[in-house]
Amino acid sequence: MEETKYVKYMSDNFRAQRHDFMNYFQILYGYIQLGKINEANEYIKGIMELNKNMSKAYSISLLKVSILLDKMVREFSDIDCIVELDIKKYTDYTLRMVDNEDDIVNLLGKIFAYYMEREEAYKDKIHIKIEEFEDRISFLFVGEDNIAEILEETRGFNFEIVEEGTSFTFTYVNPIDILEEE
C-alpha cells in the first residue's frame, strides 16, 4: 500500500512538472509568433535560470524532498519570487529512503504555505541553505522572516533561531541506501 502511495505521489508531481514545461513552451511560442524576439530571449534566460535552481534540488538523496523543492521553485517563480537553494552534500548516496521523509516533506510544505500566504515574509526571494550528511539533513531559512511559529506548532521538533535565520535538522530514521554515486 505504501509503495502505491509513493508511485502516485511521483506520478502526480511529474505530471505537474510536464504541465509547467508545456506552459513555458506555449508562452515562448507566443512571443515568437508575435515577433517579440527580445522578450523570447529574456524568457529563455529566465527559464534557464529557473532550471538551474531546480536542478540543485535533485542533488539531495531524498527524492520526495527533491520533488517538493523543485515544485516550490516553480510555483514561487510564477509569482516572481526566487527560491534560491544552496546545497552542500556530505554523503556519497544519490538516492535513499528514510522512514521520516514524509515528516520532512510535511514540515517543508507548511513552511512554503506560510510563505505563499504572506508575501511580506519573503519579498522577492527565499534563500534556503541545505546540508545533507550520512545521518541527517539540515535546513537554514535565511533572513528575518519568522517561520519559528510554524516550527513551534510541530511537537517534538527542535529548531534554532540563529543570526542568519531559522535552522532545523532532521535525523534520518532507518535510512535505506538505494544508490551510491559512482
Side-chain angles (χ1 to χ4, degrees):
M1 188 63 152
E2 192 64 35
E3 292 84 8
T4 305
K5 286 182 186 177
Y6 190 76
V7 170
K8 179 161 178 20
Y9 175 82
M10 302 297 285
S11 175
D12 289 348
N13 281 286
F14 289 140
R15 190 175 294 115
Q17 191 177 54
R18 182 194 161 282
H19 176 79
D20 286 350
F21 282 112
M22 289 305 297
N23 286 343
Y24 299 148
F25 285 121
Q26 288 174 344
I27 291 169
L28 184 59
Y29 184 65
Y31 280 138
I32 293 170
Q33 278 189 316
L34 295 171
K36 296 184 174 187
I37 303 306
N38 289 338
E39 288 88 344
N41 282 332
E42 289 304 310
Y43 191 73
I44 290 170
K45 287 177 187 175
I47 292 172
M48 289 171 57
E49 195 62 35
L50 175 67
N51 279 307
K52 188 168 67 172
N53 211 16
M54 287 169 29
S55 293
K56 292 177 186 178
Y58 291 98
S59 66
I60 298 171
S61 69
L62 303 175
L63 190 55
K64 281 186 177 182
V65 174
S66 295
I67 289 172
L68 175 71
L69 291 171
D70 171 297
K71 180 180 175 184
M72 292 301 101
V73 166
R74 287 183 284 119
E75 283 186 16
F76 277 88
S77 166
D78 290 345
I79 56 173
D80 296 323
C81 175
I82 297 168
V83 176
E84 183 180 326
L85 302 174
D86 180 9
I87 299 174
K88 293 184 180 162
K89 190 170 174 179
Y90 303 102
T91 179
D92 291 333
Y93 292 100
T94 58
L95 185 60
R96 61 179 14 177
M97 295 180 77
V98 296
D99 285 352
N100 59 335
E101 186 169 8
D102 286 337
D103 295 336
I104 300 168
V105 168
N106 290 336
L107 181 62
L108 289 172
K110 286 179 183 179
I111 292 169
F112 282 116
Y114 166 84
Y115 280 119
M116 195 61 84
E117 292 170 4
R118 295 168 182 81
E119 185 177 340
E120 72 280 357
Y122 63 80
K123 298 175 183 62
D124 60 353
K125 182 171 153 183
I126 300 169
H127 185 186
I128 310 167
K129 293 184 177 183
I130 303 169
E131 291 184 305
E132 184 177 21
F133 300 90
E134 291 290 326
D135 63 337
R136 67 192 181 283
I137 188 166
S138 66
F139 298 87
L140 171 63
F141 281 76
V142 177
E144 296 178 18
D145 53 82
N146 190 2
I147 61 169
E149 67 185 64
I150 296 165
L151 300 174
E152 286 172 349
E153 294 172 3
T154 309
R155 293 181 166 205
F157 190 80
N158 295 323
F159 67 94
E160 183 179 8
I161 298 174
V162 295
E163 186 174 324
E164 203 172 357
T166 304
S167 173
F168 53 94
T169 300
F170 280 92
T171 300
Y172 292 150
V173 176
N174 299 324
I176 300 171
D177 301 321
I178 299 172
L179 188 61
E180 190 172 354
E181 287 183 17
E182 297 175 0

